[in-house]
Amino acid sequence: FITMPFANLKDGTTRLFYQTHGSGKDHCIVFVHGGAGGIGSAILNRMDNAPYTAEHTKVMTELSGPGRMCVEFCNRCSGRSSCNLDKPFGVETLATDCIELVHSLGFDKATVIASSFGGPTALWLAENRPSFVQNLIMVHAGGNITHYGFSDKRVDVIRQFVSQPLAAQKATFATRGVPEQARKDVISLFPTPLVPQLLAVPGLVDRIRASIDEMGFSDDDFCQWYRGQMYLMNANIVSDQMLDLGRITCPVLIVHG
């Protein structure tokens, strides 16, 4: 595969980390990952985000056949991508980031494959930029935040957090004891309905904890990551893509189970 580490977006503050597989110029396949994922999590729907496993390499090699290029990227505020947290953003921002990246690689349109929390972004693209989405594949993905087990109380917490100035956000973060708790039990950072699923994956929690220890995150690092995740979740709160499904004109494949 060909790795091209970062794309500088036109807003002047956001850098998307991405990589490509294959060098075809006829068709682009772009992956929109979910939640706190990143490169590798979109196609395998794995929470450990291991993009260089034999399984991942095999899938990407098969997909990036003659004439095709596969593009994986980390959403703003996820993985290795950066973003400006001066103000909240919506799902349309995440969608236009994807368009800008694909255009920068020389493609006018793409097959969009969305996993989990990437669903709202992919649906927004199909509903509002039909000329961009050649085909849409939804893998365990929904159209709004309620499909992912977020209660009204959790939604209110997210909205209140992103509406606060930076100093108040840092105070909230510290008060909740997230840095200490994350090092003790990283599962506390995930929505409650996901906990049984995460615990059911052999060794997953230990792998996540080990990754955090290896990265040597400081409390400030954790705070920046936490803020980014709250802004990403808020982006999916402010709109419900399930209301405009009738506007989708491209072929759609839904994979769920």
Side-chain angles (χ1 to χ4, degrees):
F1 57 81
I2 303 170
T3 300
M4 298 183 179
F6 291 95
N8 295 311
L9 300 188
K10 294 176 182 178
D11 65 9
T13 60
T14 303
R15 302 177 74 222
L16 296 185
F17 178 80
Y18 74 101
Q19 69 181 26
T20 62
H21 303 260
S23 56
K25 299 298 183 182
D26 299 328
H27 190 83
C28 177
I29 302 173
V30 63
F31 296 88
V32 183
H33 70 77
I39 286 180
S41 65
I43 184 61
L44 300 181
N45 202 27
R46 293 167 59 138
M47 290 301 295
D48 55 351
N49 301 331
Y52 305 115
T53 63
E55 182 183 6
H56 179 269
T57 300
K58 179 182 178 182
V59 171
M60 299 310 298
T61 299
E62 292 176 351
L63 288 175
S64 57
R68 296 192 295 270
M69 178 185 291
C70 293
V71 181
E72 299 180 281
F73 70 99
C74 298
N75 282 323
R76 60 171 61 207
C77 301
S78 293
R80 302 184 194 180
S81 294
S82 64
C83 67
N84 187 342
L85 295 179
D86 286 347
K87 60 181 180 180
F89 51 84
V91 68
E92 68 277 5
T93 299
L94 301 175
T96 53
D97 286 351
C98 178
I99 293 174
E100 188 173 337
L101 173 60
V102 170
H103 283 177
S104 73
L105 295 172
F107 296 94
D108 295 326
K109 55 187 176 181
T111 288
V112 178
I113 301 179
S115 171
S116 188
F117 219 36
T121 300
L123 288 176
W124 190 97
L125 284 168
E127 293 166 358
N128 296 279
R129 298 292 185 270
S131 63
F132 175 78
V133 182
Q134 192 167 359
N135 305 285
L136 175 63
I137 301 176
M138 301 281 285
V139 184
H140 304 290
N144 62 45
I145 201 167
T146 60
H147 295 155
Y148 304 97
F150 284 75
S151 64
D152 290 342
K153 181 178 180 180
R154 184 170 178 81
V155 168
D156 289 341
V157 168
I158 295 169
R159 283 175 168 160
Q160 181 179 2
F161 182 88
V162 300
S163 68
Q164 296 174 332
L166 175 58
Q169 289 180 354
K170 288 185 175 181
T172 298
F173 177 79
T175 300
R176 296 183 66 184
V178 176
E180 296 79 8
Q181 186 63 24
R183 288 181 171 81
K184 294 176 182 177
D185 188 0
V186 73
I187 292 300
S188 66
L189 296 178
F190 293 93
T192 302
L194 287 179
V195 172
Q197 300 175 42
L198 296 174
L199 293 177
V201 179
L204 175 58
V205 176
D206 290 336
R207 292 202 299 274
I208 296 176
R209 286 176 178 147
S211 296
I212 289 175
D213 290 340
E214 289 172 6
M215 287 185 286
F217 272 6
S218 67
D219 286 358
D220 284 342
D221 292 331
F222 265 118
C223 184
Q224 183 70 2
W225 174 84
Y226 183 81
R227 292 178 66 221
Q229 296 310 304
M230 295 291 269
Y231 277 64
L232 280 170
M233 288 186 284
N234 182 71
N236 289 291
I237 289 174
V238 297
S239 61
D240 185 354
Q241 306 313 310
M242 300 300 289
L243 300 178
D244 293 314
L245 295 179
R247 297 169 58 184
I248 298 176
T249 58
C250 67
V252 179
L253 173 64
I254 299 174
V255 182
H256 194 74

